Amino acid sequence: MINIGKLKKIKNNFPVLVAEKAIPKNICKNLISEISSSKSFDDIIMGGRSRINKGSKNFEIYLKNSEYSLKLFKKFNSKIFFKKIEKIFKSRFKENTWTNLYNPRSFNSKKFTLKRKVNSKELTKLLGDNYKNPILNLDIDFSVSKGGYRLRPHRDDVNRLYNFLIYLTDIPKKNGGSLTLYKKKYKKNIRKSFRRFPKGSELKIVKEFTPKQGTVIFFKSTPNSYHGVKRFKEFDCPKRFFIYGSYALNKPVIWSFKNNNYFPTIVPNNKRMLTSFHDSNYLLKKTS
Ligand SMILES: [Fe+2]
């Protein structure tokens, strides 16, 4: 169903692995038809992305009626598959790379990151202040985007270790919707902080991926893993069908780079939002 043996390292400032044609065309087509036939979606975000999220009642109903999605879900929702991905990252990125300080003690296939709206105080409490012995889980959604969908440059939630994308449709370049990877314009030896939403003027584009049917992308959700999606213009092309997911912890990931440890701080905000909308910074903490 998915050939991760094809995963290749790309030149970038944070760890990314890409596999083209990792999922055969006929399976992509079946996955598209399953998402298209879904009677309902859990939410619509970012200017036109409809999602079916792990953890919702809708997701369970969807999987009952979707043979290929269920198969793919089961594959990803396992410790064995996670270990394979982790092993590939470890073998491809050896020196001077980002690592997570506290290894997960177990994998829980039933768990998922809450999709409840909270304010920053509630979120800080949810995340807690003890980062040791985290539990790992898979988060995944089956998505379809219409024209207008875009994502400004950002880094993902603080509890994510790895993120992945599976593209099910070929999108012509003229239609946008490309995944864009960024890096900070100015080099620094040791950075004291990584903001979740840096200004566009602080960043420069390193790489752009036009969605291609069957392409799978994995990246480490490191403090500097800035990415976004260029506005998708829907004309003379299919809708943008894709699967997005991550291996996440039940607490924040503490990231380490060359023995420098970075801890997250949630930026205060009284508004109730999904965790993925909250701002946070990764700050360097000196340890003796
Ligand atoms: Fe993201």
Side-chain angles (χ1 to χ4, degrees):
M1 162 153 243
I2 175 169
N3 184 357
I4 51 167
K6 286 187 169 184
L7 283 170
K8 286 195 178 74
K9 183 177 172 172
I10 62 148
K11 206 174 175 306
N12 188 45
N13 59 317
F14 60 89
V16 182
L17 293 171
V18 181
E20 284 190 9
K21 295 180 186 150
I23 296 181
K25 272 195 180 329
N26 65 318
I27 293 182
C28 290
K29 282 181 188 157
N30 283 310
L31 288 164
I32 291 171
S33 92
E34 288 177 355
I35 299 172
S36 304
S37 332
S38 177
K39 301 252 173 351
S40 65
F41 290 85
D42 290 311
D43 51 10
I44 300 175
I45 55 164
M46 311 294 183
R49 165 176 166 196
S50 303
R51 298 194 296 185
I52 307 167
N53 297 317
K54 181 186 178 191
S56 73
K57 186 78 199 140
N58 195 33
F59 186 83
E60 283 173 35
I61 297 166
Y62 171 73
L63 286 190
K64 267 191 195 142
N65 301 312
S66 312
E67 181 193 341
Y68 290 89
S69 303
L70 178 66
K71 221 171 154 188
L72 185 119
F73 170 67
K74 280 190 173 163
K75 176 121 200 163
F76 276 78
N77 196 25
S78 73
K79 190 181 175 175
I80 298 167
F81 191 73
F82 169 76
K83 284 281 170 198
K84 279 186 188 164
I85 298 298
E86 195 180 45
K87 202 178 154 193
I88 300 174
F89 269 94
K90 273 190 182 149
S91 70
R92 305 282 206 282
F93 302 93
K94 280 183 183 140
E95 274 140 57
N96 291 341
T97 191
W98 288 91
T99 53
N100 52 311
L101 202 58
Y102 302 116
N103 276 319
R105 69 179 144 107
S106 59
F107 181 87
N108 188 329
S109 62
K110 299 263 186 303
K111 278 215 157 114
F112 53 90
T113 302
L114 281 181
K115 292 284 187 296
R116 193 157 56 87
K117 286 184 178 171
V118 289
N119 63 33
S120 62
K121 248 191 185 163
E122 291 166 316
L123 178 61
T124 308
K125 212 174 147 192
L126 271 174
L127 295 172
D129 53 9
N130 173 9
Y131 307 123
K132 291 177 186 167
N133 298 315
I135 297 169
L136 182 71
N137 75 263
L138 170 79
D139 285 321
I140 192 167
D141 61 69
F142 293 84
S143 283
V144 55
S145 293
K146 58 182 174 75
Y149 171 63
R150 66 181 283 266
L151 278 176
R152 64 176 160 144
H154 66 282
R155 183 241 320 136
D156 279 354
D157 262 1
V158 293
N159 63 326
R160 293 177 167 195
L161 270 182
Y162 295 96
N163 301 310
F164 61 84
L165 281 146
I166 301 171
Y167 291 117
L168 302 176
T169 24
D170 279 319
I171 302 294
K173 219 174 174 175
K174 64 169 172 41
N175 295 82
S178 57
L179 173 74
T180 311
L181 308 183
Y182 301 87
K183 72 177 204 179
K184 286 277 184 87
K185 263 185 195 162
Y186 303 106
K187 261 198 170 172
K188 263 189 191 168
N189 229 348
I190 297 167
R191 231 171 245 288
K192 286 201 180 105
S193 84
F194 290 94
R195 293 168 54 195
R196 178 157 191 195
F197 300 106
K199 285 192 200 116
S201 58
E202 293 173 63
L203 302 170
K204 68 174 175 196
I205 294 173
V206 180
K207 187 108 193 151
E208 265 191 73
F209 294 96
T210 303
K212 267 201 200 133
Q213 190 166 55
T215 295
V216 179
I217 301 175
F218 279 91
F219 62 97
K220 262 194 188 181
S221 199
T222 60
N224 64 338
S225 59
Y226 296 123
H227 62 281
V229 177
K230 292 266 177 76
R231 183 180 293 279
F232 172 45
K233 293 164 270 186
E234 192 188 336
F235 59 90
D236 306 330
C237 79
K239 286 198 161 52
R240 193 179 184 277
F241 285 89
F242 62 108
I243 297 165
Y244 191 68
S246 61
Y247 287 105
L249 303 180
N250 62 335
K251 29 182 100 174
V253 180
I254 309 307
W255 287 102
S256 188
F257 186 77
K258 294 183 184 175
N259 287 324
N260 296 304
N261 296 336
Y262 291 87
F263 288 73
T265 318
I266 308 296
V267 175
N269 194 325
N270 276 326
K271 234 171 106 182
R272 279 173 193 272
M273 303 183 281
L274 289 172
T275 59
S276 54
F277 284 65
H278 273 280
D279 196 1
S280 57
N281 301 316
Y282 263 103
L283 304 177
L284 177 68
K285 210 156 138 182
K286 281 273 167 233
T287 42
S288 47

